[in-house]
Amino acid sequence: MTTPALLPLSGRRIPPLNLGTSSFPHHRATLRLSEKFILLLILSAFITLCFGAFFFLPDSSKHKRFDLGLEDVLIPHVDTSKGGKNLGGYLIHGQGHDEHRHREEEERLRNKIRADHEKALEEAKEKLKKSRDEIRAEIQTEKNKVAQEMKKKDSKPLPPVPVPNLIGINSEDPTDKDIREKRDKIKEMMKHAWENYRQYGWGHNELKPIARKGHSTNIFGNSQMGATIVDALDTLYIMGLHDEFREGQDWIDKNLDFSVNSEVSVFEVNIRFIGGLLAAYYLSGQEVFKLKAVQLAGKLLPAFNTPTGIPWAMVNLKSGVGRNWGWASAGSSILAEFGTLHMEFVHLSYLTGDPVYYNKVMHIRKLLQKMDRPNGLYPNYLNPRTGRWGQHHTSVGGLGDSFYEYLLKAWLMSDKMDTEARKMYDDAIEAIERHLIRKSNGGLTYIGEWKNGHLERKMGHLTCFAGGMFALGADGSRDDKAGHYLQLGAEIAHTCHESYDRTTLKLGPEAFKFDGGLEAVAVRQNEKYYILRPEVIETYWYMWRFTHDPKYRQWGWEAAQAIDKYCRVSGGFSGVKDVYSSSPAYDDVQQSFFLAETLKYLYLLFSNDDLLPLDNWVFNTEAHPLPVLHLANTTLSGNPAYR
Ligand code: DMJ
């Protein structure tokens, strides 16, 4: 579908003196401030010329005056050494010069003014003859020049740091033909998603694959920040789609601008943009990604200006004003949001040498450590003004999930030096096992939600990531319970696979129950959708890496086939509204995390283990790989683990 801004404009003339009220109603909005500005410039040039003509072109009275030999004359000159006064390039000489010379000079001056006048008139006429497109192109060129200048200013190189061990950015193709073909199929799906986004949604945050146009949600504010481009970069890179990667890099270089009056989610921008940019930087070594990540992080910092230092959920990138979601309990910030900044912020301090980012996340950690936890559980809500918990709801799914994930990953990312984070993780997981993890009558292990002292026997699709987390945290677990946590990971993977297998489409619902005889199925209509989420496949991948049990590849392949069959449309991939219906409606959104996570985890599932090995890389919650930092020699003030 063609948007008004894309209507063919060539050959059209701008109606003179009709500023902002174009006779082309569909173009009215396109006569923007900058165009008006150019036209105003032209007008003012005219006025200046008229003014000049009025004052400088000789009239009869001036002749009379000169002929009388009175007063001064204007002689073009720049040299003031002879005692004259320089007025904008013209010298004023006193009386007593030869009259003939004066006449010649006057004639010369008159001719010059006339010539200048005519030239300016010609230029102005030429400008007005230009089509809208030409004027727009000129404006764009000017804008680009200004942007380039600003970029030069912002592009001060950051201080060099020891490069972490970047192992396994490339890997051989799998030797097994079947696995290779499956991996190629996933790559083809990525190309389909990317190419359609590029064609119909380029620069927008996401794509509407049915309507074939851009899409956005309030988490990205009202700006076109190219969320899909940033989120997809590292997936493109590891898949070897280097032309596509370069297209993305080029867009980011020229267009990604954070000085926008837009209120964004601090959490989402951190995990998708900062995480995506940092991963792209580490994989490709291209400085632009690091610079953009640092610029953006600077824009998020005002969100931390709260009485407690717990950040607001949202911040306006321009004004720095922050606030929380209206729906959150008692004006609270959300555990999974303010608790999912650590990885990216430590990397930012590492790369810039500026401890500001590190101090912000360590402050949050210290504050949480000091607080009482009901039953040892962390509630999902914390008020940033009072520093008190909101409702006592605890979840390993939405609102809580990645907080636990980041405790574990902070430890892994520090080369297992950050033992404080590991302890917090172990404590939290023990409480979760005690209060939230149960076995259903049918023998399925599930993780419920804690609500004011009661366990709700419902598990979210989001919660399914925890299978992978338990497996990842098995090594190094307290009391050497590695086997136990690997087993727990396997049980969660199995339950989540059941939630897929018990649907018509073989795709998992958003939430499923273990209640009233129900086992791993959704009950409410608004829990039956699948929006291309990655968590189940993420767990399959971690389980595959730690066990090499072929069933995980099998389950991943089932999911990939189901996505390709039921979510693929000619304009990309769409979520579906009911996984229990054989002809479900589409939600018409290609989520950016589909490219960042779902397809990346599938690709890794059918790749060799030496591609991004888990001893060297830690994936952020949006599947952006960040290298393990060997910080022993790097001073980051505040935490003994990093000294
Ligand atoms: C992703 O943006 C991240 O994985 C986040 O942690 C929660 N879920 C979405 C995808 O489902």
Side-chain angles (χ1 to χ4, degrees):
M1 205 173 89
T2 320
T3 62
L6 297 174
L7 282 168
L9 296 168
S10 57
R12 294 265 164 97
R13 303 279 157 90
I14 295 176
L17 302 177
N18 193 13
L19 303 182
T21 53
S22 162
S23 55
F24 307 109
H26 52 289
H27 291 157
R28 199 167 288 151
T30 66
L31 197 59
R32 297 213 175 87
L33 209 54
S34 46
E35 296 180 13
K36 287 179 190 170
F37 181 65
I38 290 282
L39 290 175
L40 275 174
L41 269 183
I42 294 163
L43 271 180
S44 61
F46 265 127
I47 292 166
T48 311
L49 284 169
C50 295
F51 188 83
F54 184 82
F55 282 101
F56 293 119
L57 282 181
D59 59 18
S60 50
S61 62
K62 205 164 181 184
H63 272 291
K64 211 184 283 166
R65 198 169 126 174
F66 186 77
D67 287 344
L68 287 170
L70 297 173
E71 308 299 337
D72 299 335
V73 290
L74 297 171
I75 300 171
H77 208 294
V78 286
D79 182 5
T80 56
S81 61
K82 294 188 182 88
K85 198 159 75 175
N86 190 346
L87 280 182
Y90 293 97
L91 267 184
I92 302 177
H93 277 247
Q95 294 173 342
H97 291 274
D98 173 57
E99 196 172 305
H100 180 67
R101 219 186 108 225
H102 277 298
R103 283 223 178 85
E104 275 180 2
E105 285 299 336
E106 188 203 18
E107 188 57 30
R108 207 175 64 76
L109 176 62
R110 198 181 291 138
N111 289 342
K112 182 171 185 322
I113 291 172
R114 202 172 288 134
D116 285 352
H117 190 168
E118 271 163 21
K119 191 172 158 220
L121 260 175
E122 274 314 305
E123 278 174 10
K125 273 197 230 157
E126 282 308 308
K127 263 259 170 339
L128 284 173
K129 266 193 228 159
K130 284 185 182 163
S131 71
R132 252 167 223 264
D133 283 349
E134 285 169 310
I135 291 181
R136 213 177 259 163
E138 281 176 17
I139 291 170
Q140 195 50 52
T141 313
E142 284 307 311
K143 274 188 185 168
N144 288 348
K145 265 196 229 155
V146 175
Q148 287 299 331
E149 285 306 311
M150 285 172 67
K151 217 163 88 185
K152 267 191 220 151
K153 258 198 340 199
D154 279 354
S155 303
K156 279 188 231 115
L158 298 168
V161 288
V163 181
N165 225 353
L166 302 177
I167 291 172
I169 289 176
N170 301 300
S171 155
E172 297 287 310
D173 287 344
T175 43
D176 183 320
K177 183 166 168 282
D178 176 54
I179 298 302
R180 226 175 27 242
E181 282 171 4
K182 285 177 172 145
R183 193 171 83 144
D184 287 347
K185 173 63 191 170
I186 307 301
K187 188 166 164 178
E188 183 279 326
M189 289 167 75
M190 179 72 183
K191 274 177 127 173
H192 182 68
W194 175 261
E195 272 162 20
N196 279 289
Y197 166 75
R198 188 184 53 190
Q199 194 172 351
Y200 303 115
W202 193 237
H204 290 262
N205 289 316
E206 292 177 319
L207 167 70
K208 286 178 91 58
I210 313 269
R212 295 179 188 230
K213 61 180 189 181
H215 168 78
S216 199
T217 64
N218 60 348
I219 59 174
F220 305 118
N222 53 13
S223 295
Q224 291 184 23
M225 288 172 57
T228 296
I229 300 176
V230 183
D231 236 3
L233 279 174
D234 51 11
T235 309
L236 294 171
Y237 195 91
I238 64 167
M239 288 183 175
L241 295 170
H242 294 303
D243 290 344
E244 290 81 352
F245 179 86
R246 267 189 295 275
E247 283 168 0
Q249 177 177 343
D250 196 48
W251 186 89
I252 285 168
D253 193 15
K254 297 202 175 94
N255 301 290
L256 189 54
D257 174 19
F258 307 115
S259 308
V260 283
N261 183 10
S262 190
E263 194 180 51
V264 299
S265 155
V266 174
F267 159 77
E268 297 288 356
V269 165
N270 178 57
I271 65 168
R272 301 191 200 210
F273 285 81
I274 297 188
L277 290 165
L278 290 176
Y281 166 67
Y282 283 120
L283 292 177
S284 70
Q286 297 296 311
E287 289 285 316
V288 60
F289 300 124
K290 180 169 69 173
L291 285 166
K292 294 279 178 183
V294 175
Q295 282 170 16
L296 179 54
K299 299 277 179 187
L300 297 186
L301 288 180
F304 292 79
N305 296 336
T306 64
T308 57
I310 295 290
W312 299 114
M314 283 173 283
V315 70
N316 183 303
L317 292 177
K318 192 164 201 167
S319 67
V321 173
R323 70 181 174 101
N324 275 344
W325 304 111
W327 49 261
S329 156
S332 292
S333 301
I334 306 295
L335 182 70
E337 297 197 332
F338 64 77
T340 309
L341 303 166
H342 189 97
M343 291 182 68
E344 297 79 2
F345 275 46
V346 170
H347 271 277
L348 287 165
S349 278
Y350 177 76
L351 290 172
T352 60
D354 184 345
V356 64
Y357 312 101
Y358 172 78
N359 289 339
K360 297 282 181 216
V361 288
M362 287 311 292
H363 177 79
I364 297 174
R365 182 190 287 181
K366 295 289 167 202
L367 199 136
L368 289 175
Q369 273 182 324
K370 272 192 260 160
M371 294 187 66
D372 279 341
R373 283 176 282 131
N375 296 311
L377 296 169
Y378 287 90
N380 294 334
Y381 303 104
L382 180 59
N383 189 312
R385 292 183 204 275
T386 62
R388 294 206 193 97
W389 297 121
Q391 279 173 310
H392 285 187
H393 289 186
T394 295
S395 168
V396 184
L399 310 184
D401 47 9
S402 43
F403 163 68
Y404 307 101
E405 176 186 352
Y406 269 36
L407 290 177
L408 174 66
K409 290 181 175 177
W411 173 69
L412 289 168
M413 199 187 84
S414 70
D415 200 18
K416 304 187 178 172
M417 302 286 283
D418 186 355
T419 48
E420 185 178 82
R422 176 77 215 204
K423 181 180 178 316
M424 287 174 79
Y425 171 78
D426 286 336
D427 290 345
I429 296 307
E430 274 178 21
I432 284 167
E433 261 205 278
R434 202 171 316 124
H435 298 289
L436 270 59
I437 300 187
R438 296 285 180 271
K439 227 179 203 120
S440 72
N441 294 336
L444 296 177
T445 302
Y446 66 93
I447 311 177
E449 309 238 323
W450 190 255
K451 296 208 166 149
N452 297 324
H454 294 286
L455 184 70
E456 200 179 346
R457 295 163 201 280
K458 186 168 92 171
M459 185 164 171
H461 190 288
L462 289 165
T463 320
C464 287
F465 91 97
M469 179 178 73
F470 294 141
L472 186 63
D475 187 24
S477 61
R478 194 176 279 168
D479 306 327
D480 198 17
K481 285 166 76 180
H484 166 75
Y485 284 113
L486 204 55
Q487 174 60 21
L488 187 55
E491 288 175 23
I492 298 298
H494 173 61
T495 300
C496 293
H497 176 252
E498 286 301 306
S499 80
Y500 273 51
D501 208 41
R502 295 175 188 202
T503 70
T504 309
L505 304 187
K506 305 290 175 203
L507 290 169
E510 181 67 4
F512 41 96
K513 292 231 156 119
F514 299 86
D515 223 350
L518 292 173
E519 297 264 335
V521 289
V523 180
R524 295 214 204 127
Q525 193 54 39
N526 65 3
E527 292 168 344
K528 294 182 178 173
Y529 60 87
Y530 173 68
I531 57 168
L532 305 170
R533 285 200 191 278
E535 291 77 14
V536 175
I537 294 165
E538 175 182 349
T539 278
Y540 295 161
W541 174 61
Y542 279 108
M543 291 309 303
W544 164 254
R545 279 273 171 112
F546 290 115
T547 67
H548 286 143
D549 185 332
K551 78 178 172 206
Y552 296 115
R553 276 188 162 168
Q554 177 53 33
W555 291 352
W557 185 239
E558 284 168 15
Q561 283 178 303
I563 291 170
D564 204 48
K565 187 162 175 195
Y566 297 110
C567 301
R568 187 185 185 120
V569 293
S570 59
F573 287 89
S574 165
V576 288
K577 290 187 178 167
D578 185 350
V579 289
Y580 300 95
S581 157
S582 52
S583 53
Y586 296 113
D587 69 4
D588 199 11
V589 181
Q590 180 176 284
Q591 306 275 350
S592 78
F593 55 66
F594 178 63
L595 294 88
E597 300 190 69
T598 313
L599 292 174
K600 186 187 284 130
Y601 287 130
L602 279 169
Y603 187 80
L604 288 169
L605 184 62
F606 298 105
S607 296
N608 299 332
D609 289 2
D610 61 358
L611 181 59
L612 300 174
L614 288 170
D615 283 341
N616 302 85
W617 296 88
V618 186
F619 288 69
N620 88 339
T621 193
E622 188 78 1
H624 297 306
L626 301 176
V628 168
L629 294 178
H630 303 277
L631 292 166
N633 300 323
T634 311
T635 308
L636 287 174
S637 59
N639 183 355
Y642 287 143
R643 285 204 197 114

